[in-house]
Amino acid sequence: AQKVTQAQTEISVVEKEDVTLDCVYETRDTTYYLFWYKQPPSGELVFLIRRNSFDEQNEISGRYSWNFQKSTSSFNFTITASQVVDSAVYFCALSEAGDSSYKLIFGSGTRLLVRP
Amino acid sequence: DSGVTQTPKHLITATGQRVTLRCSPRSGDLSVYWYQQSLDQGLQFLIQYYNGEERAKGNILERFSAQQFPDLHSELNLSSLELGDSALYFCASSVDPGPQETQYFGPGTRLLVL
């Protein structure tokens, strides 16, 4: 069973539009961590945010905001007033305290294209 | 720049060959992870090292091996290469192993097997 689902394969928006990237996760652990990474066309993976399972406060960082809802097992990412430089593939990932490898389990990614 | 370095950036080789990918973690990080990103499998965990010792294995093929040296750099060895091994290989590092630790990724090595 897929543990991290990013149902949106590709999203295309026009610059300055707001866009939300969805992430749904599945775990039996009560302690877990959720992450978002950005992969621009150059290929590297850039860390954006980490959230633990006990902290459901939403977080805002500039134009980026994250909405964590345990009730729906979702950790969605919103970009406000999108810019062309936001074009990238965005990955949601899960790390479980009960998994001794502490590996990141990645979703399949959402490709965001921001058109000028 | 995450502080994690990987060499080479690109590698083109033939089936049946062996290659070595190198990773230097961020200063102060003791834990190194290797991941493979392919079109059909997505991002998959391969193996983890902590302070020179292997800690965990994921979906790593027997043809692949890795090690972490006393200076904490790590190498991933891929042998008897097949076309399907073509992928982007990432190294990530964190201070300690642990689910709460943020893994910082290197720029990756893009391997093409012809």
Side-chain angles (χ1 to χ4, degrees):
Chain A
Q2 196 164 3
K3 289 199 166 190
V4 180
T5 302
Q6 295 180 257
Q8 303 151 309
T9 305
E10 190 164 322
I11 300 175
S12 181
V13 299
V14 176
E15 207 170 16
K16 295 187 181 144
E17 279 186 29
D18 298 348
V19 57
T20 296
L21 309 182
D22 297 333
C23 172
V24 174
Y25 62 92
E26 179 189 327
T27 180
R28 292 181 182 177
D29 279 20
T30 55
T31 302
Y32 54 89
Y33 295 79
L34 296 163
F35 301 79
W36 276 94
Y37 285 86
K38 172 182 179 179
Q39 186 174 38
S42 51
E44 72 272 24
L45 278 168
V46 179
F47 165 72
L48 295 178
I49 190 172
R50 179 188 72 208
R51 178 58 91 216
N52 75 59
S53 54
F54 300 107
D55 183 2
E56 285 194 74
Q57 260 193 325
N58 291 334
E59 177 144 348
I60 298 174
S61 175
R63 296 184 298 106
Y64 295 172
S65 62
W66 290 269
N67 180 262
F68 175 32
Q69 290 198 339
K70 285 177 79 168
S71 60
T72 55
S73 296
S74 64
F75 185 42
N76 297 337
F77 173 30
T78 297
I79 302 175
T80 303
S82 59
Q83 299 176 1
V84 173
V85 293
D86 296 326
S87 295
V89 181
Y90 291 86
F91 291 94
C92 180
L94 166 71
S95 179
E96 299 168 302
D99 179 348
S100 59
S101 75
Y102 307 130
K103 64 179 179 290
L104 290 172
I105 303 166
F106 285 90
S108 54
T110 297
R111 183 178 300 276
L112 174 65
L113 176 62
V114 182
R115 294 171 281 127
Chain B
D1 187 343
S2 68
V4 179
T5 61
Q6 289 187 248
T7 56
K9 201 165 172 57
H10 300 277
L11 203 46
I12 302 175
T13 188
T15 55
Q17 295 298 305
R18 173 189 163 96
V19 296
T20 296
L21 313 183
R22 184 188 168 103
C23 166
S24 291
R26 294 186 321 156
S27 177
D29 285 0
L30 300 179
S31 196
V32 168
Y33 302 76
W34 286 97
Y35 290 83
Q36 179 196 59
Q37 184 178 28
S38 62
L39 283 174
D40 53 346
Q41 297 289 325
L43 273 157
Q44 299 274 322
F45 166 71
L46 294 178
I47 197 164
Q48 184 209 4
Y49 282 82
Y50 174 66
N51 205 19
E53 299 289 325
E54 181 186 304
R55 270 205 83 250
K57 272 187 172 180
N59 299 325
I60 188 166
L61 299 171
E62 283 192 18
R63 300 183 285 108
F64 295 2
S65 65
Q67 57 184 136
Q68 187 179 26
F69 295 86
D71 67 352
L72 300 177
H73 90 271
S74 178
E75 292 181 357
L76 179 66
N77 301 297
L78 315 178
S79 60
S80 303
L81 285 167
E82 302 175 0
L83 296 178
D85 297 328
S86 295
L88 186 50
Y89 290 85
F90 284 108
C91 165
S93 74
S94 65
V95 175
D96 293 309
Q100 77 285 358
E101 294 291 333
T102 295
Q103 295 178 31
Y104 292 92
F105 284 76
T109 293
R110 193 172 295 276
L111 173 66
L112 180 59
V113 182
L114 299 174

